[in-house]
Coordinates of all heavy atoms in Angstrom, one line a residue:
N15 N 112.7 -23.3 -109.1 CA 113.0 -22.3 -110.1 C 114.5 -22.1 -110.3 O 115.3 -22.6 -109.5 CB 112.2 -21.0 -109.8 CG 112.8 -20.3 -108.5 OD1 113.4 -20.9 -107.7 ND2 112.6 -19.0 -108.4
W16 N 114.8 -21.3 -111.2 CA 116.2 -21.0 -111.6 C 117.0 -20.5 -110.4 O 118.2 -20.9 -110.2 CB 116.3 -20.0 -112.8 CG 117.7 -19.6 -113.1 CD1 118.6 -20.2 -113.8 CD2 118.3 -18.3 -112.7 NE1 119.8 -19.5 -113.9 CE2 119.6 -18.3 -113.3 CE3 117.8 -17.2 -112.0 CZ2 120.4 -17.2 -113.1 CZ3 118.7 -16.1 -111.8 CH2 120.0 -16.1 -112.4
A17 N 116.5 -19.6 -109.6 CA 117.2 -19.0 -108.5 C 117.2 -19.9 -107.3 O 118.1 -19.7 -106.4 CB 116.5 -17.6 -108.1
G18 N 116.4 -20.9 -107.3 CA 116.4 -21.8 -106.1 C 115.7 -21.3 -104.9 O 115.7 -21.9 -103.9
N19 N 115.0 -20.1 -105.1 CA 114.3 -19.5 -103.9 C 112.9 -20.1 -103.7 O 112.3 -19.8 -102.7 CB 114.2 -18.0 -104.1 CG 113.3 -17.6 -105.2 OD1 113.5 -17.9 -106.4 ND2 112.3 -16.8 -104.9
L20 N 112.4 -20.9 -104.7 CA 111.1 -21.5 -104.4 C 111.0 -22.9 -105.1 O 111.6 -23.2 -106.1 CB 109.9 -20.7 -104.9 CG 109.8 -20.4 -106.4 CD1 108.9 -21.5 -107.1 CD2 109.1 -19.0 -106.6
R21 N 110.4 -23.8 -104.3 CA 110.1 -25.1 -104.8 C 108.7 -25.1 -105.3 O 107.8 -24.7 -104.6 CB 110.3 -26.2 -103.7 CG 109.9 -27.6 -104.1 CD 110.2 -28.5 -102.9 NE 109.6 -29.8 -103.2 CZ 109.6 -30.9 -102.3 NH1 110.2 -30.7 -101.2 NH2 109.0 -32.0 -102.6
Y22 N 108.4 -25.6 -106.5 CA 107.1 -25.6 -107.0 C 106.2 -26.5 -106.2 O 106.6 -27.6 -105.8 CB 107.1 -26.0 -108.5 CG 107.8 -25.0 -109.4 CD1 109.0 -25.3 -110.0 CD2 107.3 -23.7 -109.6 CE1 109.7 -24.4 -110.8 CE2 108.0 -22.8 -110.4 CZ 109.2 -23.2 -110.9 OH 109.8 -22.2 -111.7
A23 N 104.9 -26.1 -106.0 CA 104.0 -26.9 -105.2 C 103.4 -28.0 -106.1 O 102.7 -28.9 -105.5 CB 102.9 -26.0 -104.7
A24 N 103.5 -27.9 -107.4 CA 102.9 -28.9 -108.3 C 103.4 -30.3 -107.9 O 104.6 -30.6 -107.6 CB 103.2 -28.6 -109.7
A25 N 102.5 -31.3 -108.1 CA 102.9 -32.7 -107.8 C 103.7 -33.3 -108.9 O 104.4 -34.2 -108.7 CB 101.6 -33.5 -107.6
E26 N 103.6 -32.6 -110.1 CA 104.3 -33.2 -111.3 C 104.6 -32.1 -112.3 O 103.9 -31.1 -112.4 CB 103.5 -34.3 -111.9 CG 102.1 -33.9 -112.4 CD 101.3 -35.0 -112.8 OE1 101.6 -36.2 -112.5 OE2 100.3 -34.8 -113.6
V27 N 105.7 -32.3 -113.1 CA 106.0 -31.5 -114.2 C 106.0 -32.4 -115.4 O 106.8 -33.3 -115.5 CB 107.4 -30.8 -114.0 CG1 107.7 -29.9 -115.3 CG2 107.4 -29.9 -112.8
R28 N 105.2 -32.1 -116.4 CA 105.1 -32.9 -117.6 C 105.8 -32.2 -118.8 O 105.7 -31.0 -118.9 CB 103.7 -33.3 -117.9 CG 103.1 -34.3 -116.9 CD 101.8 -34.8 -117.3 NE 101.3 -35.8 -116.3 CZ 101.6 -37.1 -116.3 NH1 102.4 -37.6 -117.3 NH2 101.1 -37.9 -115.4
E29 N 106.4 -32.9 -119.7 CA 107.2 -32.4 -120.8 C 106.8 -33.0 -122.1 O 107.4 -34.0 -122.6 CB 108.7 -32.5 -120.5 CG 109.2 -31.8 -119.3 CD 110.6 -32.0 -119.0 OE1 111.2 -33.0 -119.5 OE2 111.2 -31.2 -118.3
P30 N 105.7 -32.6 -122.7 CA 105.2 -33.2 -123.9 C 106.2 -32.9 -125.0 O 106.9 -31.9 -125.0 CB 103.9 -32.5 -124.2 CG 104.0 -31.2 -123.5 CD 104.8 -31.5 -122.2
R31 N 106.2 -33.8 -126.0 CA 107.1 -33.7 -127.1 C 106.4 -33.3 -128.4 O 107.1 -33.1 -129.4 CB 107.9 -35.0 -127.3 CG 108.8 -35.3 -126.1 CD 109.6 -36.6 -126.3 NE 110.5 -36.8 -125.1 CZ 111.7 -36.3 -125.0 NH1 112.2 -35.5 -125.9 NH2 112.4 -36.5 -123.9
T32 N 105.1 -33.3 -128.4 CA 104.3 -32.8 -129.5 C 103.2 -31.9 -129.1 O 102.8 -32.0 -127.9 CB 103.7 -34.0 -130.3 OG1 102.7 -34.6 -129.5 CG2 104.8 -35.0 -130.7
V33 N 102.7 -31.1 -130.0 CA 101.5 -30.3 -129.6 C 100.3 -31.1 -129.3 O 99.5 -30.8 -128.4 CB 101.2 -29.3 -130.7 CG1 99.9 -28.5 -130.4 CG2 102.4 -28.3 -130.9
A34 N 100.2 -32.3 -130.0 CA 99.0 -33.2 -129.7 C 99.1 -33.7 -128.3 O 98.1 -33.8 -127.6 CB 99.0 -34.3 -130.7
E35 N 100.3 -34.1 -127.8 CA 100.4 -34.5 -126.4 C 100.1 -33.4 -125.5 O 99.5 -33.6 -124.4 CB 101.9 -35.0 -126.2 CG 102.2 -36.3 -126.8 CD 103.6 -36.7 -126.4 OE1 104.3 -36.1 -125.6 OE2 104.1 -37.7 -127.0
L36 N 100.5 -32.1 -125.8 CA 100.2 -31.0 -125.0 C 98.7 -30.8 -124.9 O 98.1 -30.6 -123.8 CB 100.9 -29.7 -125.6 CG 100.5 -28.4 -125.0 CD1 100.8 -28.3 -123.5 CD2 101.1 -27.3 -125.7
Q37 N 98.0 -30.9 -126.0 CA 96.6 -30.7 -126.0 C 95.9 -31.8 -125.1 O 95.0 -31.5 -124.4 CB 96.0 -30.9 -127.4 CG 96.4 -29.7 -128.3 CD 95.9 -29.9 -129.7 OE1 96.5 -30.4 -130.6 NE2 94.6 -29.5 -130.0
D38 N 96.3 -33.0 -125.2 CA 95.8 -34.1 -124.3 C 96.0 -33.8 -122.9 O 95.1 -34.0 -122.0 CB 96.4 -35.4 -124.7 CG 95.9 -36.0 -126.0 OD1 94.9 -35.5 -126.5 OD2 96.6 -36.9 -126.6
L39 N 97.2 -33.3 -122.5 CA 97.5 -33.0 -121.1 C 96.6 -31.8 -120.6 O 96.1 -31.9 -119.5 CB 99.0 -32.6 -121.0 CG 100.0 -33.7 -121.0 CD1 101.4 -33.1 -121.1 CD2 99.9 -34.6 -119.9
V40 N 96.5 -30.8 -121.4 CA 95.6 -29.7 -121.0 C 94.2 -30.1 -120.8 O 93.5 -29.8 -119.8 CB 95.8 -28.5 -122.0 CG1 94.8 -27.4 -121.7 CG2 97.2 -28.0 -122.0
A41 N 93.7 -30.8 -121.8 CA 92.3 -31.3 -121.7 C 92.0 -32.1 -120.5 O 90.9 -32.0 -119.9 CB 91.9 -32.0 -123.0
G42 N 92.9 -32.9 -120.1 CA 92.7 -33.9 -119.0 C 93.0 -33.4 -117.7 O 92.7 -34.0 -116.7
A43 N 93.6 -32.1 -117.6 CA 94.0 -31.6 -116.3 C 92.8 -30.8 -115.6 O 92.0 -30.2 -116.4 CB 95.2 -30.7 -116.4
S44 N 92.7 -30.8 -114.3 CA 91.8 -30.0 -113.6 C 92.4 -28.6 -113.3 O 91.7 -27.6 -113.3 CB 91.3 -30.6 -112.4 OG 92.4 -31.0 -111.5

Side-chain angles (χ1 to χ4, degrees):
N15 67 336
W16 173 79
N19 68 300
L20 65 87
R21 175 180 170 181
Y22 296 110
E26 57 189 21
V27 179
R28 294 190 175 272
E29 298 176 340
R31 296 182 179 274
T32 67
V33 174
E35 287 182 9
L36 171 62
Q37 290 178 268
D38 288 342
L39 285 173
V40 173
S44 57

